[in-house]
Amino acid sequence: MTSSELWTRATADRYDAEEAEMSSVAVLGPTLAFLSELAGDGRALEFAIGTGRVGVPLQERGVPVVGIELSEHMAAVLRRKIDADTLPVAIGDMATTVVPGKFTLVYLVYNTITNLLTQDEQVECFRNAARHLEPGGRFVIELGVPPLRLLPPGQGAVPFDVSEQHLGFDTFDLVQQILVSHHFTCDGDDGRYRRGSSRHRYAWPAELDLMARIAGLELEHRVADWDGAPFTQDSAKHISVWRKPI
């Protein structure tokens, strides 16, 4: 067991509805195109596959997909969408769990490497990706750039969503590189809000590049989004691709 926090049954059951925008054609279209091109004629392994938001449509696109998922509840939601023979999922953590075979692509989307709360575990995640890759294969991570430029001296929180249905803000431990995402979500017409929070270890692109070097991977390229926009100092996130040498 890693330090990742486990998703509960209740959270898993409402995950797809709460993340409906992330499952839209506008979001998934470029994501699937990017990943399928890198996978080529080979197989893809998704770390923290969750409910299959990306893995299921990537499989349907013709890329053989295997998943690793820590939460049995999240995997159970995925299993309602696709059978185990078509898309196998191993229950375990993405830093140490090993599945059979080699892959041309290992990928980890939507900030999920931050679920590993120590630097050592994040390094092991890179090593596990390298362990599964064929020579010349790629490891892809989608991750937000830590929003510390938005944190003035003396301020401890940064809002990331303010709407009628949801209030979200992050608080930071700058020494341990831990952020806590706080959520207040309106559950119904009675005006009541459900409170939730999750812990994450944020990491800078340069730190990830060093983790990749430790794992024997080389940075191939980095872009700002799935459409391939250039990554700049003002980019809010990055898609990074590391390659296993031949």
Side-chain angles (χ1 to χ4, degrees), residues 4 12-13 39 44 61 71 77 89 110 130 145 165 176 179 184 199 212:
S4 297
D13 284 342
R61 198 181 179 100
S71 169
V77 175
V89 175
Y110 205 18
V145 176
Q165 298 298 316
Q176 299 297 323
L179 70 82
F184 294 83
R199 293 187 301 152

Side-chain angles (χ1 to χ4, degrees), residues 17-59:
E18 292 187 346
E19 298 293 342
E21 183 178 350
M22 295 299 297
S23 299
S24 66
V25 173
V27 173
L28 274 184
T31 305
L32 299 175
F34 191 106
L35 295 175
S36 60
E37 181 177 357
L38 289 181
D41 296 328
R43 300 193 304 156
L45 172 62
E46 181 171 357
F47 284 175
I49 194 170
T51 65
R53 179 184 67 89
V54 175
V56 171
L58 188 61
Q59 172 78 38

Side-chain angles (χ1 to χ4, degrees), residues 16-228:
D16 285 346
E18 292 187 346
E19 298 293 342
E21 183 178 350
M22 295 299 297
S23 299
S24 66
V25 173
V27 173
L28 274 184
T31 305
L32 299 175
F34 191 106
L35 295 175
S36 60
E37 181 177 357
L38 289 181
D41 296 328
R43 300 193 304 156
L45 172 62
E46 181 171 357
F47 284 175
I49 194 170
T51 65
R53 179 184 67 89
V54 175
V56 171
L58 188 61
Q59 172 78 38
E60 293 170 345
R61 198 181 179 100
V63 177
V65 176
V66 177
I68 294 174
E69 173 54 44
L70 183 61
S71 169
E72 294 186 23
H73 300 302
M74 295 289 277
V77 175
L78 178 149
R79 195 53 67 218
R80 300 170 196 165
K81 306 171 184 178
I82 194 167
D83 63 83
D85 291 333
T86 304
L87 200 166
V89 175
I91 301 300
D93 69 82
M94 57 187 164
T96 62
T97 301
V98 177
V99 299
K102 295 295 184 179
F103 300 82
T104 59
L105 174 67
V106 178
Y107 65 95
L108 181 55
V109 299
Y110 205 18
N111 303 320
T112 312
I113 193 170
T114 66
N115 290 358
L116 299 171
L117 298 179
T118 70
Q119 186 183 70
D120 286 344
E121 289 175 351
Q122 291 178 352
V123 169
E124 288 307 311
C125 181
F126 273 82
R127 284 179 167 153
N128 201 29
R131 182 181 297 125
H132 286 91
L133 285 173
E134 297 178 354
R138 277 91 169 192
F139 182 34
V140 177
I141 285 181
E142 175 189 21
L143 183 59
V145 176
L148 300 190
R149 293 171 65 187
L150 303 176
L151 194 64
Q155 180 173 314
V158 172
F160 59 84
D161 186 30
V162 179
S163 66
E164 292 293 329
Q165 298 298 316
H166 179 252
L167 302 175
F169 60 91
D170 292 329
T171 55
F172 297 86
D173 179 337
L174 302 181
V175 174
Q176 299 297 323
Q177 289 186 210
I178 296 293
L179 70 82
V180 180
S181 288
H182 304 265
H183 302 268
F184 294 83
T185 306
C186 186
D187 266 341
D189 297 330
D190 59 2
R192 294 186 179 182
Y193 279 78
R194 170 173 39 87
R195 180 178 180 176
S197 64
S198 59
R199 293 187 301 152
H200 306 268
R201 182 185 186 273
Y202 62 84
W204 301 94
E207 184 181 5
L208 298 181
D209 289 342
L210 183 56
M211 293 180 188
R213 288 179 60 189
I214 292 170
L217 304 176
E218 302 171 346
L219 179 67
E220 186 170 71
H221 67 276
R222 173 172 290 126
V223 292
D225 57 34
W226 295 108
D227 289 311

